[in-house]
């Protein structure tokens, strides 16, 4: 399968039209006519990931977070972003990212996270558009099958996503068992207002700062911060299955092992 053909399949799953204006997903480097026989899937295009892709002779690197967010004025080995791009191009490795288009697309990041939590989703937490008259957007709001305490839900989040730890705000303010829950993988500080607006009792997300956490609790909504990586690593196994399906066994697919970048010491 040619690179351009695989990209068409990826965009059938998560069209670029879904992506937020500030984002930069899609085909970011390489040759569109490249024959793709080996694919590396990761959450981020770190130095280690790029080196492994080169070492295994990958033809394409697929990540969730785009390596290129801002315009590059020069491509050389003196900047960590352009250095990685340079290495990928030198190794003739195509590079594709699926970011907010994957976050928003039905059946992708938000729905996958809600499904893991056993959340019966009602719709997007933040509506960004529509498909066939149905709202689409970031995160999901819904209800659990049965009420649980915030502490119990925090343990469930750890178990469902295989997390070493979570940070919880609002256990003293939200003391009754909860059922109405919002989930928004990635950085969720901007989703707090949407959670409150949608009457969520708990928001499960990542990258919550001190003030955002205590302010949410003061408004009667607890927050479970599972980390940015903590909720989004589900991208990797899901995309492995999808790429295996669309390439029909014509490509070897390698997935980065789950490795949380932050530790509590």
């Amino acid at each position: 399968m040619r690179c351009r053909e695989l990209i068409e399949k990826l965009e059938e799953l998560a069209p670029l039209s879904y992506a937020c204006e500030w984002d930069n997903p899609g085909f970011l480097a390489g040759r569109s006519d490249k024959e793709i026989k080996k694919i590396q899937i990761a959450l981020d295009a770190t130095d280690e990931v790029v080196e492994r892709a080169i070492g295994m002779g990958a033809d394409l690197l697929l990540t969730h977070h785009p390596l290129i967010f801002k315009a590059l004025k020069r491509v050389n080995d003196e900047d960590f972003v352009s250095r990685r791009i340079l290495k990928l191009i030198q190794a003739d490795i195509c590079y594709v990212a699926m970011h907010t288009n994957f976050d928003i697309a039905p059946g992708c990041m938000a729905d996958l996270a809600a499904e893991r939590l056993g959340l019966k989703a009602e719709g997007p937490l933040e509506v960004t558009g529509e498909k066939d008259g149905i709202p689409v957007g970031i995160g999901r709001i819904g209800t659990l099958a049965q009420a649980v305490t915030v502490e119990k839900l925090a343990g469930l989040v750890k178990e469902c996503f295989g997390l070493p730890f979570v940070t919880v705000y609002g256990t003293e303010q939200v003391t009754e068992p909860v059922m109405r829950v919002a989930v928004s993988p990635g950085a969720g500080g901007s989703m707090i207002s949407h959670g409150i607006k949608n009457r969520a009792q708990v928001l499960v997300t990542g990258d919550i700062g001190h003030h955002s956490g205590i302010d949410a609790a003061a408004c009667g909504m607890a927050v479970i911060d599972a980390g940015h990586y903590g909720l989004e690593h589900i991208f990797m196994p899901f995309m492995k299955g999808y790429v295996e399906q669309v390439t029909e066994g014509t490509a070897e697919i390698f997935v980065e092992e789950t490795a949380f970048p932050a530790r509590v010491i």
Side-chain angles (χ1 to χ4, degrees):
M1 177 176 284
R2 301 285 181 182
C3 179
R4 70 169 69 90
E5 295 171 326
L6 178 56
I7 290 172
E8 288 177 1
K9 295 295 184 181
L10 296 177
E11 293 185 7
E12 286 177 9
L13 173 70
L16 291 179
S17 60
Y18 284 155
C20 296
E21 290 184 2
W22 51 263
D23 199 11
N24 189 42
F27 183 35
L28 302 184
R31 297 188 293 114
S32 60
D33 64 344
K34 170 83 174 182
E35 186 72 25
I36 305 300
K37 296 181 179 179
K38 284 188 178 183
I39 300 169
Q40 174 79 342
I41 299 175
L43 200 70
D44 298 280
T46 63
D47 287 322
E48 294 79 11
V49 167
V50 170
E51 291 297 336
R52 274 192 285 273
I54 294 170
M56 72 173 58
D59 299 302
L60 183 139
L61 172 61
L62 172 63
T63 68
H64 178 50
H65 296 129
L67 179 55
I68 304 173
F69 264 113
K70 299 178 181 179
L72 295 176
K73 294 185 176 181
R74 55 185 61 85
V75 178
N76 56 40
D77 63 357
E78 295 180 353
D79 170 80
F80 77 96
V81 172
S82 63
R83 181 176 63 244
R84 294 173 193 171
I85 294 296
L86 182 62
K87 286 184 176 181
L88 289 170
I89 292 174
Q90 286 178 322
D92 196 19
I93 298 175
C94 298
Y95 175 49
V96 178
M98 301 173 70
H99 194 210
T100 53
N101 55 318
F102 185 82
D103 290 338
I104 292 171
C108 293
M109 188 72 84
D111 284 325
L112 294 172
E115 183 180 345
R116 282 211 181 195
L117 285 175
L119 190 66
K120 184 179 180 181
E122 300 171 2
L125 185 57
E126 178 188 6
V127 176
T128 59
E130 63 176 44
K131 179 182 180 182
D132 300 327
I134 300 173
V136 298
I138 297 173
R140 294 292 181 268
I141 179 73
T143 55
L144 298 172
Q146 60 183 30
V148 295
T149 63
V150 174
E151 291 89 342
K152 180 81 171 182
L153 180 58
L156 177 64
V157 171
K158 285 179 62 178
E159 179 183 351
C160 290
F161 291 90
L163 309 179
F165 65 91
V166 295
T167 302
V168 186
Y169 297 90
T171 55
E172 295 182 0
Q173 290 82 3
V174 184
T175 57
E176 297 296 320
V178 300
M179 288 189 71
R180 190 164 179 79
V181 176
V183 60
S184 184
S190 64
M191 304 306 291
I192 287 176
S193 61
H194 295 283
I196 294 170
K197 179 181 177 181
N198 282 280
R199 298 176 288 105
Q201 294 169 286
V202 184
L203 170 63
V204 182
T205 189
D207 289 356
I208 295 298
H210 169 78
H211 293 290
S212 296
I214 63 173
D215 289 350
C219 292
M221 183 179 72
V223 178
I224 299 174
D225 185 341
H228 198 123
Y229 185 98
L231 298 180
E232 290 193 330
H233 66 81
I234 60 177
F235 168 83
M236 296 187 288
F238 175 82
M239 285 310 303
K240 180 178 187 294
Y242 180 79
V243 174
E244 285 176 340
Q245 176 184 343
V246 298
T247 57
E248 298 179 341
T250 61
E252 290 184 86
I253 302 168
F254 303 87
V255 178
E256 284 291 308
E257 293 184 6
T258 303
F260 297 93
R263 296 181 182 179
V264 174
I265 298 176

